[in-house]
Amino acid sequence: MSKFSILSKCLAFAMAGLVMFSCSGNAEKKGFPTNKKEIMDAFVAGTLDESYVPAAFFIHFPGKDSKVGEGAVKSHLYYLLQTNADVLKVQFEQRVAKIKELDKQETWDSIAPLPEDYYRPTFEVVKELYNNVGKDVYILPTVYSPYQVARQSLGDEVIAKAAVERPADLKRVLGYYADALEWFVKSCKEIGVEGFYMTTQGGEMKYYSIPGFFEEQIKPFDLRIMNLCQKDAKLTILHICDWEGTYDDLTRYTDYPGDIVNTPLVLNGTPFTVTDGEKLFNRPVLGGLDRHKEIISGTVDDVKAVVKKAIADGPKGRLMIGAECTVSEAPIENIHAAVSAAHHAE
């Protein structure tokens, strides 16, 4: 994918114009940022005018043609153009093959490392996006944890069993996946990418019965990849994902890197607000909207109202409006309304 189609080039050009337009309404305010990178820099630094609250929502684009290649590039650009989000998160859609017959030791022995550049197709999408709009908008590649990659190939039940019966084999395979992710992160940095969306799973309550699972099989590999992402980065988001299970405590994550933190909204049935998250992590937070509620099924006016309430109730100057995970079923007009309401917070 060395060349853009005419449509992709037009989308990139339109996006550049939107960046300028979206900031122009605040141009009369002395020192107000002039592009989305400067907006996010000021937000993280705590100097952004509170009349403008950054916002972004994320979706998985439908159809296999939107996962890699030029289709993925166009989908990301068009979505950014439609929503006017303040960052461009690049979805991580490559999967590893399912491994069968994992009850046999010879199968575990035969598992080999992934090719070093296994994630090159995703990297090429990142590269095209960075080359065309990365000057004005932070391009944030999504980086799954080694455990999340392992779920694709091994499955939850096999991982849980292996953590007890063959922990050395599980660590070896997690290491293989970490190697491939490391190549991806380093390659993104080499072309100038300055931030990442770092996501973790494996600390859910369903694994509490496995002694040392989080401490030995999850956290070391998380930190290996996330610390690499964080090094010399200008903007990183830590996403503690509850898509596959619930948590009852997030203190084990407080030493994880991430300039902004995105957490679940509920811990073991008890609400966990963005204010709670800001206090626990002592960092700006991304969230405020429930991915199951207004953003999916509400009207545009409903969405605007819940955004205004989230801003009013949330930590002042430390909240970036979003959801706790992807909102792929949300009408695009609802996402645009949420972002627009945040941008006109006063």
Side-chain angles (χ1 to χ4, degrees), residues 1 18 26 45 47 57 71 84 92 113 137 155 163 175-176 229 246 281 334:
M1 185 176 56
L18 179 59
N26 294 282
T47 60
F57 294 83
N84 195 19
F92 192 78
V137 183
Y176 291 160
C229 291
T246 57
F281 288 90
N334 280 8

Side-chain angles (χ1 to χ4, degrees), residues 101-147:
E101 298 184 11
L102 281 162
D103 55 330
K104 300 178 179 180
Q105 182 61 46
E106 54 263 35
T107 303
W108 283 92
D109 292 340
S110 68
I111 298 175
L114 295 174
E116 181 185 48
D117 64 344
Y118 182 83
Y119 291 111
R120 182 172 293 279
T122 302
F123 165 72
E124 293 295 340
V125 173
V126 173
K127 183 178 180 180
E128 292 287 6
L129 292 170
Y130 178 81
N131 287 342
N132 284 270
V133 296
K135 178 181 178 181
D136 296 314
V137 183
Y138 277 115
I139 308 298
L140 303 182
T142 300
V143 181
Y144 277 6
S145 67
Y147 161 80

Side-chain angles (χ1 to χ4, degrees), residues 32-48:
F32 195 88
T34 59
N35 65 34
K36 291 184 179 294
K37 275 190 172 180
E38 291 183 3
I39 286 172
M40 293 308 301
D41 288 343
F43 172 66
V44 172
T47 60
L48 182 64

Side-chain angles (χ1 to χ4, degrees), residues 138-175:
Y138 277 115
I139 308 298
L140 303 182
T142 300
V143 181
Y144 277 6
S145 67
Y147 161 80
Q148 287 174 287
V149 177
R151 291 189 66 248
Q152 300 170 3
S153 65
L154 309 180
D156 287 338
E157 291 184 7
V158 169
I159 290 174
K161 186 177 180 181
V164 175
E165 297 181 358
R166 49 182 97 238
D169 283 324
L170 180 57
K171 286 182 181 179
R172 175 172 56 86
V173 174
L174 289 170

Side-chain angles (χ1 to χ4, degrees), residues 228-248:
L228 177 62
C229 291
Q230 188 70 43
K231 184 179 179 182
D232 300 323
K234 292 187 176 179
L235 181 67
T236 57
I237 298 176
L238 169 64
H239 170 57
I240 303 171
C241 184
D242 69 345
W243 197 274
E244 299 295 335
T246 57
Y247 303 78
D248 66 354

Side-chain angles (χ1 to χ4, degrees), residues 108-311:
W108 283 92
D109 292 340
S110 68
I111 298 175
L114 295 174
E116 181 185 48
D117 64 344
Y118 182 83
Y119 291 111
R120 182 172 293 279
T122 302
F123 165 72
E124 293 295 340
V125 173
V126 173
K127 183 178 180 180
E128 292 287 6
L129 292 170
Y130 178 81
N131 287 342
N132 284 270
V133 296
K135 178 181 178 181
D136 296 314
V137 183
Y138 277 115
I139 308 298
L140 303 182
T142 300
V143 181
Y144 277 6
S145 67
Y147 161 80
Q148 287 174 287
V149 177
R151 291 189 66 248
Q152 300 170 3
S153 65
L154 309 180
D156 287 338
E157 291 184 7
V158 169
I159 290 174
K161 186 177 180 181
V164 175
E165 297 181 358
R166 49 182 97 238
D169 283 324
L170 180 57
K171 286 182 181 179
R172 175 172 56 86
V173 174
L174 289 170
Y176 291 160
Y177 297 148
D179 290 343
L181 292 165
E182 189 172 285
W183 177 90
F184 175 65
V185 172
K186 288 181 177 178
S187 297
C188 290
K189 287 191 169 192
E190 286 173 0
I191 63 169
V193 169
E194 300 171 299
F196 296 91
Y197 185 90
M198 312 177 303
T199 178
T200 181
Q201 289 177 339
E204 300 93 332
M205 293 170 64
K206 65 183 179 181
Y207 289 122
Y208 281 8
S209 62
I210 304 175
F213 181 72
F214 180 80
E215 293 77 13
E216 298 174 15
Q217 303 283 4
I218 300 299
K219 190 168 186 175
F221 291 103
D222 277 359
L223 292 181
R224 172 182 165 185
I225 299 303
M226 291 184 184
N227 285 334
L228 177 62
C229 291
Q230 188 70 43
K231 184 179 179 182
D232 300 323
K234 292 187 176 179
L235 181 67
T236 57
I237 298 176
L238 169 64
H239 170 57
I240 303 171
C241 184
D242 69 345
W243 197 274
E244 299 295 335
T246 57
Y247 303 78
D248 66 354
D249 179 26
L250 299 182
T251 57
R252 57 173 51 174
Y253 296 101
T254 55
D255 61 343
Y256 272 48
D259 300 310
I260 301 170
V261 182
N262 179 229
T263 71
L265 296 179
V266 176
L267 297 184
N268 196 23
T270 301
F272 187 79
T273 68
V274 288
T275 299
D276 294 330
E278 191 274 337
K279 289 180 179 178
L280 177 63
F281 288 90
N282 193 27
R283 287 175 250 176
V285 288
L286 167 66
L289 271 68
D290 189 326
R291 71 175 189 262
H292 300 292
K293 294 184 178 180
E294 290 87 355
I295 194 70
I296 297 292
S297 58
T299 66
V300 165
D301 287 339
D302 292 336
V303 170
K304 290 179 179 178
V306 76
V307 169
K308 297 295 186 184
K309 186 176 189 307
I311 293 171

